[in-house]
Each structure stands twice: as structure tokens, then as C-alpha cells.
Amino acid sequence: DAGITQSPRYKITETGRQVTLMCHQTWSHSYMFWYRQDLGHGLRLIYYSAAADITDKGEVPDGYVVSRSKTENFPLTLESATRSQTSVYFCASSESLDSVTDTQYFGPGTRLTVL
Amino acid sequence: QKEVEQDPGPLSVPEGAIVSLNCTYSNSAFQYFMWYRQYSRKGPELLMYTYSSGNKEDGRFTAQVDKSSKYISLFIRDSQPSDSATYLCAMSLNSGYSTLTFGKGTMLLVSP
């Protein structure tokens, strides 16, 4: 019963490189989310997805690309990493967007450092 | 002004103390209010949620919402060292079917 997993857990990259963060959930939840967490800003939504092939922007989408070809996977790509994208990235999933009945379950996070 | 304000702390208390954690918000359309707990180097996990105004109790935890003041609180009674974590408030709009807006989180340290 893995739940929601993220890989890698830690990543160091250089400015300008492409980086992909992976997220996998085993519950068949419809909704998946990517957040970044920074000191002084808290958790901010980057992108979310309602189902396979359906994605939508969150609060801070610039510089990120997502795809969702399968329900259980929701990769996040930084096409050309910048130092400002150094952060902890959390993936989450939920059955629906109904925040009353369906909790968002978070993964363990990926710590990304861009040098 | 950010939509949700939360004092980052840290808040240090001795074991057994009553803890009060708070958030203020500016958008009166928020109707659903949640508290998440996040241990160091872990993802957040839902602790409690409330709808509209009022109180909700779950064991040692009580969540309180005052919509007239746009102010929510989480009280922890008989605090334990295991309660040491960052507590994030989160809110969603009146439909419930909306993404969450989080506060920055308050770090709580409970010393034995």
C-alpha cells in the first residue's frame, strides 16, 4: 500500500537544465496537484489535473510544464531550471475537488536545488 | 495583502500547555477551513476541517472559525512533544469544489 510517492527525493541541478519530478499514486484518485513550498511563502499551487489529459494552472505555473497521460502519474517538468525554482515540491492527490469530503493526500516531497 | 496570513513562529511551549494557532484571511468567499500538520521533512496531512462558522472538537484539538472577523484558530490542549510540527491553515471557496489556499504555516515546538 504505497499511497503517493515522489521521485527523486533530492535533486541538485544547474541553471538551464531540464528537470522532471515524478509523482505516482496507487489510489486511482482523479485529482492530482503539484505544490511548491518556500520559506516565507508557504504552499503554493503550481498545476493540478482533474483526470488524464486534463490539467489547469495554479497560482505559480510559469516555468513549469505538466502532463498526465495515465491517471496514476503526474510528472512536473522544469524546462529550463532557474535558481528561483529551488524549493521543496509536493505532489498531492484527492478523489475530487470537494475539500469537505475528499482530503488531499500529500507525498513526501522532492527537495530541488538549482545551482 | 496575501489572502491568508499566518504567523510563522516558532512558537515554543512546555509540555501540557494549551496552544493557540491562528490565521486571518481577506476573502469573505472562503467557507471551508482546514488545518494541516506537517512534520519535518514530510508532506502535510489533514488534521481537521470545519465549514463556515463555529467550533469543531476532535480529541485534544479544537478548530474555531469566526467568519465575521475572518479569523480561524486551532487549539491544542495538553500539548505533547509529538505535537511539535508546522501547522498550516488552508481554505477553499464557498462551493467547496475549489483548490486550496494555504497559509505559510506556524512552527510549534513543545518541550518535555
Side-chain angles (χ1 to χ4, degrees):
Chain A
D1 187 4
I4 184 164
T5 56
Q6 293 183 235
S7 62
R9 294 293 313 279
Y10 302 89
K11 177 74 177 178
I12 299 174
T13 190
E14 294 177 339
T15 302
R17 292 198 180 248
Q18 184 179 78
V19 177
T20 296
L21 309 183
M22 303 301 294
C23 179
H24 176 80
Q25 51 106 353
T26 60
W27 296 304
S28 299
H29 283 167
S30 297
Y31 279 81
M32 296 187 75
F33 309 82
W34 274 108
Y35 294 88
R36 59 178 290 174
Q37 187 172 39
D38 305 286
L39 207 60
H41 289 281
L43 270 170
R44 292 181 292 175
L45 182 65
I46 304 171
Y47 270 97
Y48 67 104
S49 168
D53 298 321
I54 301 175
T55 62
D56 208 348
K57 295 178 181 179
E59 181 184 353
V60 288
D62 293 343
Y64 302 96
V65 174
V66 293
S67 61
R68 194 161 176 212
S69 56
K70 291 185 177 182
T71 301
E72 61 267 29
N73 297 325
F74 191 38
L76 176 74
T77 298
L78 289 66
E79 292 192 301
S80 179
T82 64
R83 290 197 183 89
S84 65
Q85 292 178 310
T86 293
S87 186
V88 181
Y89 291 85
F90 287 100
C91 179
S93 72
S94 64
E95 182 59 41
S96 77
L97 207 49
D98 184 341
S99 50
V100 176
T101 61
D102 293 313
T103 305
Q104 283 190 28
Y105 294 93
F106 285 78
T110 294
R111 288 185 173 269
L112 175 68
T113 301
V114 183
L115 301 176
Chain B
Q1 179 192 11
K2 196 160 170 57
E3 277 194 303
V4 180
E5 299 282 357
Q6 187 176 9
D7 188 331
L11 176 62
S12 295
V13 301
E15 183 175 355
I18 295 174
V19 174
S20 172
L21 303 165
N22 311 294
C23 286
T24 59
Y25 61 95
S26 57
N27 188 346
S28 58
F30 285 134
Q31 291 277 3
Y32 297 90
F33 305 92
M34 284 136 275
W35 286 96
Y36 280 78
R37 178 175 60 194
Q38 184 178 18
Y39 290 113
S40 181
R41 299 188 177 265
K42 301 284 188 183
E45 56 179 350
L46 181 67
L47 195 58
M48 295 183 72
Y49 75 86
T50 54
Y51 167 66
S52 195
S53 286
N55 292 1
K56 185 173 182 178
E57 190 173 318
D58 184 1
R60 296 185 295 110
F61 298 88
T62 300
Q64 196 171 75
V65 175
D66 182 350
K67 290 186 90 276
S68 63
S69 301
K70 298 191 182 73
Y71 189 87
I72 69 170
S73 300
L74 178 70
F75 298 96
I76 307 174
R77 290 185 301 279
D78 187 24
S79 56
Q80 303 294 310
S82 58
D83 294 327
S84 297
T86 296
Y87 291 80
L88 300 99
C89 61
M91 309 178 185
S92 66
L93 297 175
N94 52 12
S95 69
Y97 282 84
S98 73
T99 55
L100 297 177
T101 300
F102 284 86
K104 296 177 187 178
T106 299
M107 181 184 291
L108 171 66
L109 302 171
V110 182
S111 53

